[in-house]
Amino acid sequence: MGRSPLTRRAQRREASAMRFSRIGEHAWAIQEADRAVDLLRPVAGRYPAAMARALAVRAACLHVRGRTAEAARDVDEALAYRDRATDPADATDLAVVASHLDLAGRTDEALALTGRLLSGGTPPARPLLFRHCALLLRHGRADEAVPLLRGVHEAAHPWSHTRYRAGVMLFEALAAAGRTAELAEHARRELPNVAASARGNAAGRRIYLEVLELLHRHHALPDHRPPLDVTIAKQRRILLRGQRRRWILAAAFAVLTGDRRRIPPRPGATPPAELARAAARDRVTRVEARLERLNASDDARALSIAWGELAEARWDAGGQRSAALQAQRAALEQTRRWAAEHPADARTALVTHLRRFAEIAGAIGLRTDAEAAETEADELADSA
C-alpha cells in the first residue's frame, strides 16, 4: 500500500517516541506512540502494515517502561494486523514491526516474521535483510547472518551505500561468530573504504571508530601500522574537534535568538555519574546474558572477550569491585586457554588482560597479585 500524508505523520510520531524512549523519557515516548496509533486507527483497514508498525512501537515503549501486560496486548493486536498486510510493498513496514517486536520481548515472533518475509517469492528488499541480520546478531546467531551479509556485500555495486552498510555489519557478524582470520581479511579489504567514508562526515567517523574498536577488542590486526589504539585515539580527537565546532555554531545561534535553553551540552563533557553508572549497569546485564549463551560453546577466545567486557562494566557500575576482579580473573583464565591453543593470536590479548587485572587488583589493595601480573605482562611484551 502506498504512503499517505497520514502514515508519514504517524511515522514521525513513532520516530519521536523511540527517541524519547532511548533517553529515558518514557512518559513522553508512550504519549507520542499513543498519538501515532490514534492517527492510524480510523484508517487501519486501508493501512494494516502501518497500523501494525505503530502498535509495535507502542508495545516496545510500554515494555521498556515495565508495563508488560499492556505491551503484550499491543503485540497481539499488531500480529493480527500483520496477518492482514498482504501487499508486497508492506515488507519494509513489517520489517520495522519485527524489530520492535524484539524490543518488546517477543523475539520468536520477530524472527518468524522476518524469516517469512525473506522466504517470499520476490527478492527481499535490502532494508528487510539488514533488519533480519541485525536480529540474528542481537541473539547470538552470527553464523546465520554471515552468509546473508556476504552475499549482499559481494552483489552490491562498489562504493554504493548498500555495500558499505553490508560491509560494516559483516565486521560485527564475523567478530561475533569468532572467525578472526576472516575478520582480519575483511578488514584489510574493507577498512580503507570505511575510513574514506569518515572524511567530513561525523556519522561516518563514529562508524569508523566503532569498527576500529571492534578490531582492537578482537585483536584482529595485531600487525596494523600505526597500532590500532593510536589510530583510535587520533580519530576520537578529530571527532571531538568537529563536535566542538558544531557546538559553537549552535550555541551562538541560541544566544543570538535569545533562547539560551537551546544551547546543547558541551561535547566531551563528563556525563553525570549516575547516568554513567546506569549505562554501565545496563552493559553488565547485556554481557551477562551473552555469557550465558557462550558458556555452552567452550570458545576460549569469545569467552575471554566477554569476561573482559563484564569486568570493565562491573567496575564502571560502582559497588561491584570484587565482582569486577572475579570477572577479570575469569577473563585471564580464558585468555590463557586461548594462548595455549593459539599462542601467536592470543599474545596481545593476554598482555592486555594481565595489565587490566593488575590495575583492578592494585586499586582494591592486592598489591602482590598486581605486581605479579604486571611483571608477567612486561615479560610477554618484551619477548614479542
Side-chain angles (χ1 to χ4, degrees):
M1 187 72 67
R3 300 287 181 197
S4 75
L6 196 63
T7 58
R8 286 194 288 269
R9 283 172 57 198
Q11 284 187 16
R12 286 195 290 271
R13 293 289 187 185
E14 293 161 17
S16 179
M18 294 311 298
R19 280 196 299 271
F20 282 132
S21 184
R22 280 193 291 270
I23 65 174
E25 295 290 352
H26 301 298
W28 292 354
I30 293 168
Q31 186 179 56
E32 288 292 284
D34 284 339
R35 289 171 178 166
V37 171
D38 292 342
L39 277 171
L40 291 170
R41 184 75 69 183
V43 294
R46 290 175 56 199
Y47 303 106
M51 187 64 190
R53 175 176 173 152
L55 287 163
V57 167
R58 188 167 71 176
C61 294
L62 289 166
H63 184 80
V64 171
R65 186 67 181 85
R67 294 162 61 176
T68 52
E70 295 168 81
R73 176 204 65 202
D74 277 351
V75 166
D76 292 338
E77 190 177 359
L79 291 174
Y81 278 107
R82 172 207 64 183
D83 294 337
R84 293 163 57 182
T86 56
D87 192 325
D90 291 334
T92 302
D93 274 338
L94 292 178
V96 178
V97 171
S99 295
H100 292 304
L101 289 179
D102 182 54
L103 295 175
R106 302 288 282 270
T107 302
D108 291 340
E109 287 93 336
L111 286 168
L113 175 54
T114 53
R116 189 192 78 181
L117 294 170
L118 287 170
S119 63
T122 57
R126 281 164 181 162
L128 164 61
L129 195 143
F130 286 141
R131 286 186 181 274
H132 180 67
C133 290
L135 285 173
L136 293 173
L137 291 173
R138 197 179 299 161
H139 295 285
R141 295 167 60 177
D143 285 319
E144 298 174 50
V146 167
L148 294 172
L149 290 169
R150 203 187 292 280
V152 174
H153 184 262
E154 291 173 357
H157 190 275
W159 296 103
S160 66
H161 179 70
T162 298
R163 185 180 179 89
Y164 169 76
R165 186 174 177 186
V168 169
M169 289 187 73
L170 197 52
F171 279 110
E172 183 182 355
L174 290 169
R179 304 185 185 183
T180 310
E182 292 177 58
L183 176 63
E185 183 60 31
H186 181 63
R188 292 187 183 97
R189 289 197 312 267
E190 199 66 22
L191 197 58
N193 299 335
V194 181
S197 299
R199 292 172 188 154
N201 181 349
R205 196 169 298 281
R206 288 191 195 95
I207 292 172
Y208 181 41
L209 255 175
E210 290 172 4
V211 170
L212 288 172
E213 288 167 352
L214 181 144
L215 294 171
H216 186 251
R217 192 163 60 247
H218 288 265
H219 314 287
L221 293 175
D223 56 345
H224 188 272
R225 293 292 179 271
L228 284 178
D229 53 349
V230 174
T231 306
I232 289 168
K234 178 182 176 182
Q235 293 302 318
R236 284 177 178 161
R237 289 194 298 271
I238 294 171
L239 180 62
L240 185 58
R241 281 200 299 270
Q243 290 173 333
R244 284 173 174 161
R245 283 195 295 268
R246 286 188 292 276
W247 179 85
I248 290 169
L249 292 173
F253 182 78
V255 171
L256 288 172
T257 56
D259 190 358
R260 291 177 176 270
R261 291 175 300 177
R262 292 185 177 274
I263 298 177
R266 186 183 292 273
T270 304
E274 186 50 43
L275 282 180
R277 285 195 292 269
R281 287 194 293 270
D282 181 59
R283 291 204 326 268
V284 168
T285 303
R286 285 188 278 111
V287 178
E288 284 176 344
R290 194 163 98 237
L291 271 169
E292 286 183 13
R293 295 193 299 269
L294 285 172
N295 280 332
S297 70
D298 201 36
D299 183 342
R301 187 197 64 86
L303 285 166
S304 161
I305 293 166
W307 276 113
E309 290 177 10
L310 181 58
E312 184 178 351
R314 283 176 173 174
W315 185 265
D316 292 343
Q320 301 187 41
R321 301 174 80 182
S322 297
L325 181 65
Q326 184 180 10
Q328 189 58 48
R329 198 185 297 276
L332 195 50
E333 179 185 344
Q334 295 298 334
T335 311
R336 291 189 193 281
R337 280 185 54 222
W338 179 22
E341 298 166 4
H342 305 284
D345 293 341
R347 179 186 294 274
T348 305
L350 186 55
V351 171
T352 300
H353 282 299
L354 282 165
R355 296 202 191 283
R356 285 181 184 169
F357 180 83
E359 182 181 348
I360 295 174
I364 290 176
L366 303 175
R367 293 186 179 178
T368 304
D369 290 350
E371 289 170 2
E374 193 68 47
T375 301
E376 184 180 355
D378 289 340
E379 290 173 355
L380 272 173
D382 291 341
S383 65

